[in-house]
Amino acid sequence: MSEQYVEREQRVTPLELFFDLVFVFGFTQVTTVLSDDPTWGGLGHGLLILAALWWAWAAYAWLTNTVDPREDAVWGAALVAMAAMFVAALAVPEAFDRHGVVFGVAFLIVNVVWLTLYALAARRDRDLLAAILRNAPSALAGTALIIAAGFVHGGLRPMLWLAALAVGLFGPLLGGISGWRVQPAHFVERHGLIVIIAIGESLIAIGLGARSTEIGTGVIVAAVLGLVVTTSFWLAYFDFFPIRGQQMLADRSGAQRTALARDAYTYLHLPMVAGIVLFAFAMKTTLAHVGDELDTIPALGLCGGPALYLLAYVALRLRVSRTLGRGRLIAAVACALLFPIVVVVPALLALALVAAVWVAFDAYEIIWWREARARTRALRLPASVS
């Protein structure tokens, strides 16, 4: 692995795309958890599992941003981690029941491979190696708590999962950011692809929901409305955000770049993905019951998922510019305020209301911000910028 820790810029490799396919399955499994148990407990379990999957994915996003995935050692180790992650994804539906230990042990293998590869890659970079060694205790402790949760029952299990995520996913906040490396173009592209994967889960959910019922006029209308919202998820992100995100990272260096990458991508992309997955679960339920009123949890996913997705952008803007903005904040609040209505009207009408908010928001951004969007596109950076 010689000099693979040296600062570089490259496109996302086929190996990374192949690795991400496991997370397509993992997100689908989370949707299954929510669909099979549409209760507050099921919602909590689904979100905890999703956060753990994100923890694993984000760790490897940082790794492949530093090492060269085309190196033989990296390539082989990534396949081992991929196999372990696939086993963990298989265990997702029963992660809070009989397969909790299986999930935890597979997750441990994923983290051990990640730490080993990172340490080997950084052996000639004292600062990066120190950063990895600072992170190792929290990663291993968090994983140990997930394994321990597999041996207990009742309310203690989700508490151990919460503790695991607090230690493993958020523990690095206490360790500082010195020593870490970020290559803007690759990092931005990597996260854009995982957002696409999450959006793809919404399309899969539409298909699965339609398959479970007879395809009539109501189902067709609901499918089209679901596609409208899914397209709006895509437009809100890919219209200009990757360009602007790469520019913001490229304009910074050292600790400032690392901190922004951590906050804007590792942490604030999690609620984006969670919002998309919640909407996917709600769409699966809506398509199967277009003429019925939605239960509380599917209704929460239908309007709360988009609200959470949009609020992530609000938080990101607050992090970067210390301002809240208007359009995305208002649209998020509008989606959240639909909840009392969504639980008392037919599912098709509820979906139409959510879609109407998105269409109004899209029209606002396209018209009101057309000049700013054009300027941002004009600033598109070449992949070689570092």
Side-chain angles (χ1 to χ4, degrees), residues 55 100 104 138-152 156-157 159-168:
W55 168 11
S138 62
L140 295 176
T143 306
L145 287 169
I146 290 180
I147 295 175
F151 291 99
V152 302
L156 181 58
R157 179 171 287 180
M159 295 303 295
L160 285 174
W161 270 74
L162 276 172
L165 293 170
V167 172

Side-chain angles (χ1 to χ4, degrees), residues 20 98 103 106 111 117 147 219 222 226 294 311 320 341 352 355 377:
D20 286 353
R98 58 197 178 102
F103 182 94
N111 269 307
L117 274 177
I147 295 175
V219 171
L294 292 172
L311 285 173
V320 173
I341 302 172
R377 291 195 186 100

Side-chain angles (χ1 to χ4, degrees), residues 16 22 32 64 127 138 146 173 215 282 321 341:
E16 292 169 278
V22 175
T32 300
T64 56
D127 292 339
S138 62
I146 290 180
L173 286 171
I215 298 181
S321 65
I341 302 172

Side-chain angles (χ1 to χ4, degrees), residues 224-233 235-236 306 310 327 331 334-335 338 351-368:
V224 172
L225 290 173
L227 183 60
V228 168
V229 176
T230 302
T231 302
S232 295
F233 280 132
L235 185 63
L310 289 166
C335 286
L338 285 177
L351 176 57
L353 291 172
V354 174
V357 172
W358 273 106
V359 170
F361 164 71
D362 290 338
Y364 164 78
E365 287 218 329
I366 290 171
I367 296 171
W368 187 264

Side-chain angles (χ1 to χ4, degrees), residues 190 241 282 287 334:
R190 195 84 173 86
F241 179 75
L287 266 291

Side-chain angles (χ1 to χ4, degrees), residues 125-135 172-173 175-181 254-256 258-259 262:
D125 186 331
R126 184 174 298 177
D127 292 339
L128 180 57
L129 181 60
I132 294 159
L133 293 178
R134 288 198 309 269
N135 192 73
L173 286 171
I177 56 176
S178 62
W180 294 106
R181 309 281 186 261
Q256 286 188 338
T258 302
R262 178 199 63 194

Side-chain angles (χ1 to χ4, degrees), residues 25-312:
F25 178 51
F27 292 161
T28 302
Q29 290 284 73
V30 172
T31 304
T32 300
V33 170
L34 296 170
S35 299
D36 290 347
D37 185 16
T39 63
W40 289 107
L43 176 64
H45 293 169
L47 291 177
L48 287 171
I49 294 168
L50 179 62
L53 294 176
W54 179 260
W55 168 11
W57 183 88
Y60 278 82
W62 281 86
L63 172 67
T64 56
N65 188 250
T66 303
V67 305
D68 187 349
R70 295 166 296 188
E71 291 278 343
D72 290 343
V74 178
W75 185 87
L79 291 182
V80 172
M82 183 178 177
M85 198 67 241
F86 189 68
V87 172
L90 286 173
V92 161
E94 300 288 341
F96 278 82
D97 198 354
R98 58 197 178 102
H99 291 156
V101 176
V102 173
F103 182 94
V105 171
F107 201 75
L108 174 64
I109 295 172
V110 171
N111 269 307
V112 168
V113 170
W114 172 73
L115 286 169
T116 302
L117 274 177
Y118 230 146
L120 288 174
R123 63 189 185 278
R124 292 185 179 88
D125 186 331
R126 184 174 298 177
D127 292 339
L128 180 57
L129 181 60
I132 294 159
L133 293 178
R134 288 198 309 269
N135 192 73
S138 62
L140 295 176
T143 306
L145 287 169
I146 290 180
I147 295 175
F151 291 99
V152 302
H153 302 281
L156 181 58
R157 179 171 287 180
M159 295 303 295
L160 285 174
W161 270 74
L162 276 172
L165 293 170
V167 172
L169 184 56
F170 296 102
L173 286 171
L174 303 177
I177 56 176
S178 62
W180 294 106
R181 309 281 186 261
V182 179
Q183 319 307 326
H186 179 273
F187 203 71
V188 169
E189 184 182 10
R190 195 84 173 86
H191 285 78
L193 290 172
I194 199 67
V195 172
I196 280 285
I197 285 174
I199 291 173
E201 169 58 20
S202 292
L203 296 178
I204 293 172
I206 292 173
L208 293 176
R211 191 180 65 179
S212 64
T213 188
E214 183 178 349
I215 298 181
T217 302
V219 171
I220 293 173
V221 172
V224 172
L225 290 173
L227 183 60
V228 168
V229 176
T230 302
T231 302
S232 295
F233 280 132
W234 173 84
L235 185 63
Y237 190 93
F238 290 99
D239 185 33
F240 66 87
F241 179 75
I243 303 170
R244 182 67 180 130
Q246 183 179 336
Q247 180 195 29
M248 289 189 298
L249 289 178
D251 287 345
R252 292 164 173 80
S253 61
Q256 286 188 338
R257 177 189 289 183
T258 302
L260 181 61
R262 178 199 63 194
D263 297 345
Y265 287 91
T266 300
Y267 290 131
L268 288 178
H269 271 55
L270 174 55
M272 289 184 194
V273 171
I276 296 169
V277 171
L278 285 173
F279 178 76
F281 146 67
M283 276 304 304
K284 187 176 179 181
T285 304
T286 298
L287 266 291
H289 307 281
V290 291
D292 302 325
E293 295 176 5
L294 292 172
D295 292 333
T296 300
I297 302 303
L300 184 63
L302 191 68
C303 54
L308 180 61
Y309 179 78
L310 289 166
L311 285 173

